[in-house]
Amino acid sequence: MTSIALARLPAADRLLPNIEANAETIMAAVDDLYQLDNAVFFEGIEATPSVPAPPTTELNRAAYLWCNYCVGDIQYAVNAVIAEFNSHGIVGPPDYTDMVQITLWRPETLAIDGSFITALNSDWAAVETAINTMYSNYESLFKKG
């Protein structure tokens, strides 16, 4: 992998499949980034959590709790690999300073309106940018021909 592209949430009825698919993509990228880090620094590979399937197909309390759980796990996993890369100096242009950890919006209700969709899509953009920046930083430092 050298980059990821996360699907944006188009409508409320796609919420659970959208989160599940993006979470799987993110966790696979986190695992890949740990493997790249381990190939250089030989510290062992962190265990990347798997994404549980949604407990329901309905937008109810179980779905709400699952959404919050997934967003929390995604934030934790991405921030952990950011910390790992920062600890090894895998940083990039323009100023070669540590990457800032991400803070994701968590759903506060399952009343899905335009602001909910916008906020979740902003989460996907933030995660996508962070992961793609880590791939870019790694390649600029270790993949020069």
Side-chain angles (χ1 to χ4, degrees):
M1 239 185 269
T2 58
S3 67
I4 65 167
L6 300 174
R8 299 310 190 255
L9 178 63
D13 65 335
R14 301 295 305 149
L15 176 66
L16 300 179
N18 176 261
I19 290 177
E20 183 177 27
N22 282 344
E24 288 172 359
T25 299
I26 292 163
M27 294 309 185
V30 165
D31 186 55
D32 187 51
L33 288 163
Y34 274 124
Q35 289 180 26
L36 291 172
D37 180 72
N38 189 56
V40 175
F41 297 102
F42 310 106
E43 291 183 327
I45 297 173
E46 296 288 324
T48 304
S50 61
V51 179
T56 180
T57 58
E58 304 296 321
L59 296 179
N60 56 25
R61 180 171 172 74
Y64 164 77
L65 294 172
W66 178 82
C67 290
N68 270 291
Y69 172 82
C70 286
V71 171
D73 270 9
I74 289 166
Q75 179 176 302
Y76 177 82
V78 172
N79 284 339
V81 78
I82 287 172
E84 184 74 12
F85 270 47
N86 285 346
S87 74
H88 291 139
I90 305 174
V91 296
D95 55 5
Y96 296 93
T97 58
D98 286 351
M99 282 188 64
V100 176
Q101 295 201 339
I102 61 172
T103 301
L104 300 179
W105 170 84
R106 288 191 185 195
E108 297 173 0
T109 179
L110 276 179
I112 303 171
D113 57 8
S115 63
F116 183 107
I117 291 171
T118 299
L120 188 61
N121 286 336
S122 293
D123 280 355
W124 297 147
V127 171
E128 193 176 76
T129 298
I131 288 175
N132 290 339
T133 298
M134 286 186 278
Y135 276 124
S136 176
N137 290 348
Y138 181 87
E139 288 179 0
S140 70
L141 291 171
F142 299 110
K143 296 280 184 168
K144 292 184 179 180

